[in-house]
Short mmCIF file of all heavy atoms in Angstrom, two decimals:
data_model
loop_
_atom_site.label_atom_id
_atom_site.label_comp_id
_atom_site.label_asym_id
_atom_site.label_seq_id
_atom_site.Cartn_x
_atom_site.Cartn_y
_atom_site.Cartn_z
N MET A 1 0.78 -1.21 -0.03
CA MET A 1 0.03 0.03 0.00
C MET A 1 0.90 1.23 0.10
O MET A 1 1.90 1.36 0.74
CB MET A 1 -0.87 0.00 1.18
CG MET A 1 -1.69 1.23 1.55
SD MET A 1 -3.16 1.64 0.48
CE MET A 1 -4.02 0.07 0.42
N LYS A 2 0.50 2.21 -0.83
CA LYS A 2 1.25 3.36 -0.81
C LYS A 2 0.92 4.35 0.40
O LYS A 2 -0.01 4.36 0.85
CB LYS A 2 0.74 4.17 -2.18
CG LYS A 2 1.49 5.45 -2.48
CD LYS A 2 1.12 6.04 -3.71
CE LYS A 2 1.74 7.42 -3.76
NZ LYS A 2 2.31 7.74 -5.00
N THR A 3 2.03 4.99 0.70
CA THR A 3 1.88 5.88 1.84
C THR A 3 1.21 7.30 1.36
O THR A 3 1.48 7.70 0.27
CB THR A 3 3.26 6.38 2.41
OG1 THR A 3 3.86 5.14 2.84
CG2 THR A 3 3.22 7.39 3.58
N VAL A 4 0.18 7.66 2.10
CA VAL A 4 -0.55 8.94 1.75
C VAL A 4 -0.42 9.86 2.99
O VAL A 4 -1.41 9.85 3.83
CB VAL A 4 -2.04 8.63 1.32
CG1 VAL A 4 -2.71 9.87 0.94
CG2 VAL A 4 -2.03 7.52 0.30
N ASN A 5 0.65 10.57 3.08
CA ASN A 5 0.81 11.53 4.32
C ASN A 5 0.02 12.84 4.14
O ASN A 5 -0.11 13.27 3.10
CB ASN A 5 2.26 11.73 4.50
CG ASN A 5 3.05 10.61 5.04
OD1 ASN A 5 2.48 9.76 5.72
ND2 ASN A 5 4.39 10.62 4.72
N ILE A 6 -0.65 13.16 5.25
CA ILE A 6 -1.25 14.38 5.31
C ILE A 6 -0.89 15.16 6.64
O ILE A 6 -0.38 14.53 7.52
CB ILE A 6 -2.92 14.31 5.28
CG1 ILE A 6 -3.43 13.42 6.44
CG2 ILE A 6 -3.35 13.71 3.98
CD1 ILE A 6 -4.26 14.16 7.35
N HIS A 7 -1.12 16.35 6.66
CA HIS A 7 -0.79 17.13 7.94
C HIS A 7 -2.03 17.44 8.67
O HIS A 7 -3.03 18.01 8.11
CB HIS A 7 -0.05 18.41 7.63
CG HIS A 7 1.31 18.13 6.90
ND1 HIS A 7 2.35 17.77 7.55
CD2 HIS A 7 1.67 18.26 5.58
CE1 HIS A 7 3.39 17.52 6.77
NE2 HIS A 7 2.96 17.83 5.53
N ALA A 8 -2.03 17.07 9.89
CA ALA A 8 -3.22 17.30 10.77
C ALA A 8 -2.55 17.13 12.21
O ALA A 8 -1.70 16.49 12.50
CB ALA A 8 -4.31 16.44 10.62
N ALA A 9 -3.18 17.89 13.22
CA ALA A 9 -2.60 17.81 14.57
C ALA A 9 -3.43 16.92 15.42
O ALA A 9 -4.70 16.85 15.54
CB ALA A 9 -2.72 19.17 15.16
N CYS A 10 -2.63 15.96 16.04
CA CYS A 10 -3.22 14.98 17.10
C CYS A 10 -3.66 15.84 18.27
O CYS A 10 -2.86 16.69 18.82
CB CYS A 10 -2.26 14.04 17.49
SG CYS A 10 -2.77 13.02 18.97
N PRO A 11 -4.93 15.73 18.80
CA PRO A 11 -5.35 16.57 19.94
C PRO A 11 -4.66 16.22 21.26
O PRO A 11 -4.54 17.04 22.14
CB PRO A 11 -6.86 16.22 19.99
CG PRO A 11 -7.05 14.99 19.20
CD PRO A 11 -6.02 14.90 18.24
N ARG A 12 -3.98 15.11 21.32
CA ARG A 12 -3.39 14.70 22.55
C ARG A 12 -1.86 15.04 22.57
O ARG A 12 -1.41 15.70 23.52
CB ARG A 12 -3.46 13.14 22.84
CG ARG A 12 -2.71 12.81 24.03
CD ARG A 12 -2.73 11.29 24.25
NE ARG A 12 -3.95 10.76 24.50
CZ ARG A 12 -4.20 9.33 24.45
NH1 ARG A 12 -3.17 8.54 24.26
NH2 ARG A 12 -5.36 8.87 24.69
N CYS A 13 -1.06 14.84 21.43
CA CYS A 13 0.26 15.11 21.54
C CYS A 13 0.76 16.15 20.52
O CYS A 13 1.97 16.55 20.53
CB CYS A 13 1.12 13.87 21.33
SG CYS A 13 0.99 13.14 19.66
N GLY A 14 -0.14 16.56 19.59
CA GLY A 14 0.18 17.52 18.65
C GLY A 14 1.04 16.94 17.43
O GLY A 14 1.27 17.78 16.52
N CYS A 15 1.17 15.61 17.31
CA CYS A 15 1.87 15.08 16.12
C CYS A 15 1.13 15.61 14.90
O CYS A 15 -0.05 15.72 14.85
CB CYS A 15 1.73 13.54 16.25
SG CYS A 15 2.41 12.68 14.74
N GLY A 16 1.90 15.92 13.89
CA GLY A 16 1.37 16.56 12.74
C GLY A 16 1.28 15.80 11.43
O GLY A 16 0.80 16.41 10.45
N THR A 17 1.67 14.55 11.39
CA THR A 17 1.72 13.84 10.14
C THR A 17 0.96 12.39 10.33
O THR A 17 1.31 11.72 11.28
CB THR A 17 3.12 13.62 9.60
OG1 THR A 17 3.80 14.89 9.45
CG2 THR A 17 3.16 12.88 8.26
N PHE A 18 0.00 12.28 9.42
CA PHE A 18 -0.72 11.02 9.49
C PHE A 18 -0.58 10.22 8.00
O PHE A 18 -0.78 10.96 7.10
CB PHE A 18 -2.12 11.13 9.88
CG PHE A 18 -2.40 11.55 11.28
CD1 PHE A 18 -2.18 12.95 11.59
CD2 PHE A 18 -2.61 10.70 12.28
CE1 PHE A 18 -2.39 13.32 12.95
CE2 PHE A 18 -2.78 11.06 13.58
CZ PHE A 18 -2.74 12.41 13.95
N ASP A 19 -0.51 9.02 8.11
CA ASP A 19 -0.62 8.29 6.84
C ASP A 19 -2.06 7.72 6.62
O ASP A 19 -2.47 6.92 7.37
CB ASP A 19 0.32 7.02 6.87
CG ASP A 19 0.22 6.16 5.63
OD1 ASP A 19 -0.46 6.54 4.74
OD2 ASP A 19 1.04 5.09 5.55
N MET A 20 -2.72 8.45 5.78
CA MET A 20 -4.09 8.18 5.50
C MET A 20 -4.44 6.63 5.06
O MET A 20 -5.48 6.05 5.22
CB MET A 20 -4.74 9.10 4.35
CG MET A 20 -4.76 10.53 4.93
SD MET A 20 -5.74 10.89 6.32
CE MET A 20 -7.36 10.85 5.55
N ALA A 21 -3.33 5.99 4.50
CA ALA A 21 -3.49 4.62 4.09
C ALA A 21 -3.60 3.71 5.27
O ALA A 21 -3.96 2.46 5.05
CB ALA A 21 -2.40 4.25 3.13
N ARG A 22 -3.23 4.16 6.37
CA ARG A 22 -3.18 3.35 7.67
C ARG A 22 -4.42 3.51 8.52
O ARG A 22 -4.39 3.51 9.71
CB ARG A 22 -1.90 3.44 8.38
CG ARG A 22 -0.66 3.19 7.58
CD ARG A 22 0.61 3.30 8.45
NE ARG A 22 0.53 2.59 9.70
CZ ARG A 22 1.18 1.54 10.07
NH1 ARG A 22 2.07 1.01 9.27
NH2 ARG A 22 1.01 0.91 11.12
N TYR A 23 -5.61 3.80 7.79
CA TYR A 23 -6.75 4.16 8.63
C TYR A 23 -7.24 2.91 9.46
O TYR A 23 -7.01 1.84 8.95
CB TYR A 23 -7.90 4.80 7.69
CG TYR A 23 -8.36 3.85 6.63
CD1 TYR A 23 -9.33 2.92 6.83
CD2 TYR A 23 -7.77 4.02 5.37
CE1 TYR A 23 -9.76 2.22 5.84
CE2 TYR A 23 -8.26 3.24 4.34
CZ TYR A 23 -9.25 2.25 4.56
OH TYR A 23 -9.68 1.46 3.53
N ARG A 24 -7.89 3.26 10.55
CA ARG A 24 -8.44 2.05 11.34
C ARG A 24 -9.87 1.81 10.85
O ARG A 24 -10.35 0.64 10.75
CB ARG A 24 -8.50 2.54 12.83
CG ARG A 24 -9.30 1.59 13.75
CD ARG A 24 -9.41 2.27 15.12
NE ARG A 24 -8.16 2.22 15.84
CZ ARG A 24 -7.85 1.28 16.70
NH1 ARG A 24 -8.69 0.30 16.99
NH2 ARG A 24 -6.70 1.34 17.41
N ALA A 25 -10.53 2.89 10.55
CA ALA A 25 -11.95 2.69 10.09
C ALA A 25 -12.15 3.99 9.07
O ALA A 25 -11.50 5.01 9.13
CB ALA A 25 -13.03 2.75 11.24
N ILE A 26 -13.10 3.76 8.29
CA ILE A 26 -13.53 4.86 7.40
C ILE A 26 -15.09 4.90 7.11
O ILE A 26 -15.62 3.74 7.09
CB ILE A 26 -12.81 4.71 6.00
CG1 ILE A 26 -13.18 5.87 5.12
CG2 ILE A 26 -13.09 3.37 5.38
CD1 ILE A 26 -12.37 5.91 3.77
N MET A 27 -15.62 5.99 7.22
CA MET A 27 -17.10 6.19 6.88
C MET A 27 -17.25 7.08 5.75
O MET A 27 -16.93 8.35 5.74
CB MET A 27 -17.84 6.78 8.14
CG MET A 27 -19.35 6.82 7.84
SD MET A 27 -20.30 7.92 9.10
CE MET A 27 -19.79 7.06 10.61
N VAL A 28 -17.62 6.39 4.61
CA VAL A 28 -17.83 7.18 3.41
C VAL A 28 -19.00 7.99 3.45
O VAL A 28 -20.13 7.50 3.73
CB VAL A 28 -17.78 6.20 2.19
CG1 VAL A 28 -18.09 7.03 0.93
CG2 VAL A 28 -16.52 5.39 2.06
N LEU A 29 -18.86 9.37 3.21
CA LEU A 29 -20.05 10.22 3.40
C LEU A 29 -20.47 10.75 2.06
O LEU A 29 -21.65 11.21 1.89
CB LEU A 29 -19.64 11.37 4.25
CG LEU A 29 -19.10 11.18 5.69
CD1 LEU A 29 -18.61 12.32 6.35
CD2 LEU A 29 -20.18 10.43 6.46
N GLY A 30 -19.73 10.51 1.04
CA GLY A 30 -20.13 11.01 -0.29
C GLY A 30 -19.00 10.55 -1.32
O GLY A 30 -18.12 9.72 -0.95
N LEU A 31 -19.16 10.92 -2.54
CA LEU A 31 -18.30 10.53 -3.64
C LEU A 31 -16.79 10.79 -3.34
O LEU A 31 -15.92 10.16 -3.67
CB LEU A 31 -18.82 11.06 -4.90
CG LEU A 31 -19.99 10.56 -5.52
CD1 LEU A 31 -20.35 11.34 -6.74
CD2 LEU A 31 -19.86 9.00 -5.83
N GLU A 32 -16.58 11.94 -2.63
CA GLU A 32 -15.23 12.48 -2.42
C GLU A 32 -14.91 12.68 -0.97
O GLU A 32 -13.78 12.99 -0.71
CB GLU A 32 -15.01 13.69 -3.26
CG GLU A 32 -15.18 13.43 -4.70
CD GLU A 32 -14.82 14.76 -5.51
OE1 GLU A 32 -14.21 15.59 -4.86
OE2 GLU A 32 -15.25 14.69 -6.63
N THR A 33 -15.77 12.44 -0.06
CA THR A 33 -15.59 12.71 1.35
C THR A 33 -15.77 11.49 2.30
O THR A 33 -16.69 10.80 2.11
CB THR A 33 -16.47 13.85 1.80
OG1 THR A 33 -16.40 14.99 0.91
CG2 THR A 33 -16.22 14.41 3.13
N ALA A 34 -14.91 11.39 3.27
CA ALA A 34 -15.01 10.37 4.29
C ALA A 34 -14.47 10.85 5.66
O ALA A 34 -13.74 11.71 5.78
CB ALA A 34 -14.25 9.12 3.88
N LEU A 35 -15.05 10.19 6.65
CA LEU A 35 -14.54 10.40 8.00
C LEU A 35 -13.64 9.15 8.31
O LEU A 35 -13.94 8.01 8.34
CB LEU A 35 -15.75 10.30 8.97
CG LEU A 35 -15.37 10.57 10.52
CD1 LEU A 35 -14.74 11.93 10.71
CD2 LEU A 35 -16.64 10.27 11.37
N PHE A 36 -12.30 9.60 8.54
CA PHE A 36 -11.25 8.60 8.77
C PHE A 36 -10.91 8.43 10.22
O PHE A 36 -10.87 9.53 10.82
CB PHE A 36 -9.96 8.96 7.98
CG PHE A 36 -10.04 8.94 6.54
CD1 PHE A 36 -10.49 10.02 5.77
CD2 PHE A 36 -9.60 7.77 5.86
CE1 PHE A 36 -10.62 9.84 4.36
CE2 PHE A 36 -9.57 7.70 4.48
CZ PHE A 36 -10.15 8.82 3.82
N THR A 37 -10.84 7.24 10.81
CA THR A 37 -10.29 7.10 12.05
C THR A 37 -8.91 6.49 11.99
O THR A 37 -8.74 5.49 11.33
CB THR A 37 -11.37 6.19 12.87
OG1 THR A 37 -12.52 6.70 12.81
CG2 THR A 37 -10.65 5.98 14.33
N LEU A 38 -8.05 7.17 12.60
CA LEU A 38 -6.54 6.79 12.57
C LEU A 38 -6.02 6.70 13.92
O LEU A 38 -6.46 7.31 14.86
CB LEU A 38 -5.80 7.79 11.69
CG LEU A 38 -6.26 7.99 10.32
CD1 LEU A 38 -6.55 9.58 10.13
CD2 LEU A 38 -5.18 7.53 9.33
N ASP A 39 -4.91 5.97 14.06
CA ASP A 39 -4.12 6.00 15.26
C ASP A 39 -2.97 6.98 15.19
O ASP A 39 -2.35 6.85 14.17
CB ASP A 39 -3.65 4.67 15.61
CG ASP A 39 -4.78 3.58 15.89
OD1 ASP A 39 -5.69 4.00 16.52
OD2 ASP A 39 -4.68 2.43 15.53
N CYS A 40 -2.71 7.77 16.18
CA CYS A 40 -1.64 8.61 16.09
C CYS A 40 -0.34 7.96 16.15
O CYS A 40 -0.16 6.97 17.00
CB CYS A 40 -1.64 9.63 17.21
SG CYS A 40 -0.19 10.72 17.34
N PRO A 41 0.60 8.12 15.20
CA PRO A 41 1.79 7.31 15.17
C PRO A 41 2.78 7.60 16.26
O PRO A 41 3.64 6.87 16.55
CB PRO A 41 2.43 7.76 13.81
CG PRO A 41 1.95 9.06 13.42
CD PRO A 41 0.52 9.13 14.05
N LYS A 42 2.55 8.78 16.94
CA LYS A 42 3.40 9.05 18.11
C LYS A 42 2.87 8.60 19.39
O LYS A 42 3.66 8.04 20.18
CB LYS A 42 3.58 10.59 18.12
CG LYS A 42 4.63 11.14 19.13
CD LYS A 42 4.85 12.61 18.89
CE LYS A 42 5.84 13.06 20.03
NZ LYS A 42 5.92 14.50 19.92
N CYS A 43 1.54 8.84 19.70
CA CYS A 43 1.03 8.55 21.12
C CYS A 43 0.03 7.37 21.13
O CYS A 43 -0.42 7.03 22.09
CB CYS A 43 0.50 9.80 21.76
SG CYS A 43 -1.00 10.42 21.14
N GLY A 44 -0.45 7.05 19.85
CA GLY A 44 -1.41 6.02 19.78
C GLY A 44 -2.91 6.41 19.95
O GLY A 44 -3.89 5.68 19.88
N ALA A 45 -3.13 7.80 20.28
CA ALA A 45 -4.49 8.26 20.43
C ALA A 45 -5.28 8.00 19.05
O ALA A 45 -4.84 8.09 18.06
CB ALA A 45 -4.51 9.77 20.75
N GLN A 46 -6.59 7.77 19.32
CA GLN A 46 -7.43 7.63 18.18
C GLN A 46 -7.87 8.99 17.69
O GLN A 46 -8.38 9.83 18.43
CB GLN A 46 -8.70 6.78 18.54
CG GLN A 46 -9.46 6.12 17.45
CD GLN A 46 -10.41 5.16 17.87
OE1 GLN A 46 -10.16 4.36 18.89
NE2 GLN A 46 -11.56 5.08 17.28
N VAL A 47 -7.77 9.29 16.43
CA VAL A 47 -7.99 10.59 15.85
C VAL A 47 -9.01 10.47 14.65
O VAL A 47 -8.81 9.52 13.86
CB VAL A 47 -6.61 11.20 15.25
CG1 VAL A 47 -6.90 12.62 14.70
CG2 VAL A 47 -5.55 11.32 16.46
N GLU A 48 -9.95 11.31 14.60
CA GLU A 48 -10.86 11.32 13.58
C GLU A 48 -10.78 12.52 12.61
O GLU A 48 -10.60 13.65 13.22
CB GLU A 48 -12.41 11.29 14.08
CG GLU A 48 -12.67 9.91 14.77
CD GLU A 48 -14.11 9.89 15.26
OE1 GLU A 48 -14.76 10.91 15.35
OE2 GLU A 48 -14.61 8.72 15.47
N LEU A 49 -10.69 12.34 11.34
CA LEU A 49 -10.47 13.42 10.42
C LEU A 49 -11.50 13.33 9.29
O LEU A 49 -11.63 12.31 8.66
CB LEU A 49 -9.00 13.31 9.75
CG LEU A 49 -7.83 13.32 10.73
CD1 LEU A 49 -6.61 13.04 10.03
CD2 LEU A 49 -7.70 14.65 11.41
N LEU A 50 -12.13 14.41 9.02
CA LEU A 50 -13.13 14.48 7.98
C LEU A 50 -12.23 15.08 6.72
O LEU A 50 -11.81 16.20 6.85
CB LEU A 50 -14.21 15.49 8.27
CG LEU A 50 -15.28 15.70 7.26
CD1 LEU A 50 -16.02 14.37 6.87
CD2 LEU A 50 -16.25 16.65 7.69
N ARG A 51 -12.13 14.32 5.79
CA ARG A 51 -11.22 14.67 4.68
C ARG A 51 -11.78 14.14 3.30
O ARG A 51 -12.47 13.19 3.28
CB ARG A 51 -9.76 13.96 4.82
CG ARG A 51 -9.08 14.48 6.03
CD ARG A 51 -8.48 15.83 5.75
NE ARG A 51 -7.61 16.20 6.86
CZ ARG A 51 -6.67 17.07 6.81
NH1 ARG A 51 -6.53 17.81 5.73
NH2 ARG A 51 -6.14 17.44 7.90
N PRO A 52 -11.26 14.84 2.18
CA PRO A 52 -11.48 14.21 0.99
C PRO A 52 -10.87 12.79 0.87
O PRO A 52 -9.69 12.77 1.47
CB PRO A 52 -10.91 15.16 0.02
CG PRO A 52 -10.74 16.48 0.76
CD PRO A 52 -10.62 16.16 2.11
N ILE A 53 -11.42 11.99 0.19
CA ILE A 53 -10.72 10.71 0.02
C ILE A 53 -9.48 10.87 -0.96
O ILE A 53 -9.65 11.29 -2.09
CB ILE A 53 -11.67 9.53 -0.66
CG1 ILE A 53 -12.93 9.40 0.32
CG2 ILE A 53 -10.98 8.25 -0.88
CD1 ILE A 53 -14.07 8.66 -0.34
N PRO A 54 -8.37 10.55 -0.42
CA PRO A 54 -7.11 10.84 -1.29
C PRO A 54 -7.12 9.98 -2.53
O PRO A 54 -7.61 8.76 -2.50
CB PRO A 54 -5.96 10.33 -0.44
CG PRO A 54 -6.49 10.39 1.03
CD PRO A 54 -7.90 10.08 0.89
N GLY A 55 -6.60 10.50 -3.74
CA GLY A 55 -6.60 9.80 -4.95
C GLY A 55 -6.08 8.40 -4.88
O GLY A 55 -6.71 7.45 -5.44
N PRO A 56 -4.94 8.13 -4.19
CA PRO A 56 -4.40 6.78 -4.20
C PRO A 56 -5.36 5.73 -3.41
O PRO A 56 -5.16 4.56 -3.58
CB PRO A 56 -3.09 6.93 -3.35
CG PRO A 56 -2.73 8.32 -3.62
CD PRO A 56 -3.98 9.13 -3.64
N LEU A 57 -6.32 6.20 -2.67
CA LEU A 57 -7.27 5.37 -1.84
C LEU A 57 -8.46 5.18 -2.48
O LEU A 57 -9.33 4.30 -2.06
CB LEU A 57 -7.34 5.86 -0.45
CG LEU A 57 -6.17 5.94 0.45
CD1 LEU A 57 -6.47 6.52 1.73
CD2 LEU A 57 -5.47 4.60 0.54
N ARG A 58 -8.83 5.89 -3.48
CA ARG A 58 -10.14 6.03 -4.07
C ARG A 58 -10.66 4.62 -4.66
O ARG A 58 -11.78 4.24 -4.33
CB ARG A 58 -10.34 7.05 -5.19
CG ARG A 58 -10.30 8.47 -4.62
CD ARG A 58 -10.67 9.39 -5.77
NE ARG A 58 -10.48 10.77 -5.25
CZ ARG A 58 -11.48 11.54 -4.92
NH1 ARG A 58 -12.76 11.09 -5.07
NH2 ARG A 58 -11.26 12.81 -4.29
N GLU A 59 -9.85 3.94 -5.34
CA GLU A 59 -10.21 2.68 -5.91
C GLU A 59 -10.46 1.57 -4.82
O GLU A 59 -11.52 0.86 -4.83
CB GLU A 59 -9.22 2.15 -6.85
CG GLU A 59 -9.67 0.98 -7.65
CD GLU A 59 -11.14 1.19 -8.32
OE1 GLU A 59 -11.32 2.26 -8.94
OE2 GLU A 59 -11.92 0.22 -8.41
N GLU A 60 -9.66 1.63 -3.75
CA GLU A 60 -9.89 0.67 -2.63
C GLU A 60 -11.12 0.93 -1.90
O GLU A 60 -11.93 0.13 -1.55
CB GLU A 60 -8.55 0.84 -1.71
CG GLU A 60 -8.83 -0.03 -0.50
CD GLU A 60 -7.69 0.22 0.57
OE1 GLU A 60 -6.57 0.71 0.27
OE2 GLU A 60 -7.96 0.05 1.84
N VAL A 61 -11.35 2.32 -1.61
CA VAL A 61 -12.55 2.73 -1.02
C VAL A 61 -13.81 2.32 -1.76
O VAL A 61 -14.81 1.84 -1.37
CB VAL A 61 -12.48 4.24 -0.56
CG1 VAL A 61 -13.83 4.71 -0.09
CG2 VAL A 61 -11.44 4.40 0.37
N ARG A 62 -13.75 2.70 -3.05
CA ARG A 62 -14.85 2.44 -4.06
C ARG A 62 -15.20 0.93 -3.99
O ARG A 62 -16.33 0.53 -3.84
CB ARG A 62 -14.57 2.86 -5.45
CG ARG A 62 -15.75 2.72 -6.30
CD ARG A 62 -15.42 3.16 -7.79
NE ARG A 62 -14.77 4.54 -7.85
CZ ARG A 62 -15.48 5.68 -7.74
NH1 ARG A 62 -16.88 5.59 -7.65
NH2 ARG A 62 -15.03 6.85 -7.91
N ALA A 63 -14.18 0.06 -4.10
CA ALA A 63 -14.42 -1.37 -4.22
C ALA A 63 -15.02 -1.87 -2.85
O ALA A 63 -15.94 -2.75 -2.88
CB ALA A 63 -13.05 -2.16 -4.43
N SER A 64 -14.54 -1.38 -1.78
CA SER A 64 -15.07 -1.72 -0.42
C SER A 64 -16.47 -1.36 -0.32
O SER A 64 -17.43 -2.09 0.16
CB SER A 64 -14.22 -1.28 0.64
OG SER A 64 -12.88 -1.71 0.64
N ALA A 65 -16.84 -0.09 -0.69
CA ALA A 65 -18.20 0.44 -0.57
C ALA A 65 -19.11 -0.41 -1.48
O ALA A 65 -20.27 -0.74 -1.12
CB ALA A 65 -18.16 1.79 -0.98
N GLN A 66 -18.68 -0.76 -2.63
CA GLN A 66 -19.54 -1.55 -3.59
C GLN A 66 -19.77 -2.91 -3.04
O GLN A 66 -20.97 -3.40 -3.13
CB GLN A 66 -18.83 -1.71 -4.91
CG GLN A 66 -18.94 -0.41 -5.75
CD GLN A 66 -18.17 -0.58 -7.05
OE1 GLN A 66 -17.27 -1.41 -7.28
NE2 GLN A 66 -18.62 0.25 -7.94
N GLN A 67 -18.88 -3.54 -2.19
CA GLN A 67 -19.14 -4.89 -1.67
C GLN A 67 -20.28 -4.79 -0.61
O GLN A 67 -21.00 -5.74 -0.46
CB GLN A 67 -17.82 -5.33 -0.97
CG GLN A 67 -16.79 -5.82 -1.96
CD GLN A 67 -15.51 -6.46 -1.25
OE1 GLN A 67 -15.26 -5.86 -0.05
NE2 GLN A 67 -14.73 -7.13 -1.88
N VAL A 68 -20.33 -3.71 0.08
CA VAL A 68 -21.50 -3.52 1.08
C VAL A 68 -22.57 -2.70 0.72
O VAL A 68 -23.48 -2.42 1.44
CB VAL A 68 -20.82 -3.18 2.44
CG1 VAL A 68 -19.83 -4.22 2.94
CG2 VAL A 68 -20.25 -1.82 2.38
N GLY A 69 -22.52 -2.15 -0.61
CA GLY A 69 -23.62 -1.32 -0.97
C GLY A 69 -23.67 -0.08 -0.26
O GLY A 69 -24.81 0.49 0.13
N ALA A 70 -22.60 0.58 0.12
CA ALA A 70 -22.56 1.78 0.97
C ALA A 70 -21.99 2.96 0.25
O ALA A 70 -21.19 2.85 -0.78
CB ALA A 70 -21.80 1.45 2.20
N GLY A 71 -22.17 4.18 0.78
CA GLY A 71 -21.38 5.38 0.43
C GLY A 71 -21.77 6.02 -0.82
O GLY A 71 -21.11 7.00 -1.15
N GLY A 72 -22.75 5.55 -1.43
CA GLY A 72 -23.15 6.14 -2.67
C GLY A 72 -22.19 6.01 -3.88
O GLY A 72 -22.15 6.76 -4.85
N LEU A 73 -21.16 5.12 -3.71
CA LEU A 73 -20.13 4.88 -4.67
C LEU A 73 -20.43 3.74 -5.69
O LEU A 73 -19.62 3.34 -6.40
CB LEU A 73 -18.88 4.61 -4.01
CG LEU A 73 -18.34 5.73 -3.07
CD1 LEU A 73 -17.05 5.33 -2.42
CD2 LEU A 73 -18.10 7.08 -3.82
N ASN A 74 -21.65 3.29 -5.59
CA ASN A 74 -22.03 2.11 -6.49
C ASN A 74 -22.34 2.58 -7.92
O ASN A 74 -22.76 3.68 -8.21
CB ASN A 74 -23.17 1.45 -5.94
CG ASN A 74 -22.88 0.83 -4.61
OD1 ASN A 74 -21.82 0.31 -4.39
ND2 ASN A 74 -23.84 0.87 -3.70
#
């Protein structure tokens, strides 16, 4: 899996870089937007980020959504 780094601050430790490809959970909200749950790489805190679905993850997310009939990506 390709690394998809973004900049966001962890509310616990302030860590500023997250790899979106290492999400714990994802809730697809639309064709281009999802709520990602990630673990902070520095302190392990669970962090939620509302973000556009990164290009490198779109096909994986689309295929997963189609399998369960979710997210309006069918």
Side-chain angles (χ1 to χ4, degrees):
M1 170 75 48
K2 182 178 174 134
T3 300
V4 184
N5 286 332
I6 59 114
H7 296 286
C10 170
R12 183 186 290 170
C13 73
C15 177
T17 303
F18 291 84
D19 179 0
M20 297 294 283
R22 297 182 55 114
Y23 60 86
R24 172 187 288 261
I26 182 172
M27 181 188 306
V28 176
L29 302 174
L31 291 173
E32 298 185 13
T33 306
L35 179 64
F36 292 86
T37 303
L38 303 120
D39 294 326
C40 176
K42 186 174 178 182
C43 72
Q46 200 168 320
V47 178
E48 292 184 341
L49 301 172
L50 180 63
R51 295 282 182 163
I53 300 168
L57 298 181
R58 284 185 190 261
E59 189 54 41
E60 173 188 337
V61 170
R62 182 180 309 279
S64 296
Q66 285 178 337
Q67 285 179 340
V68 298
L73 299 176
N74 296 321

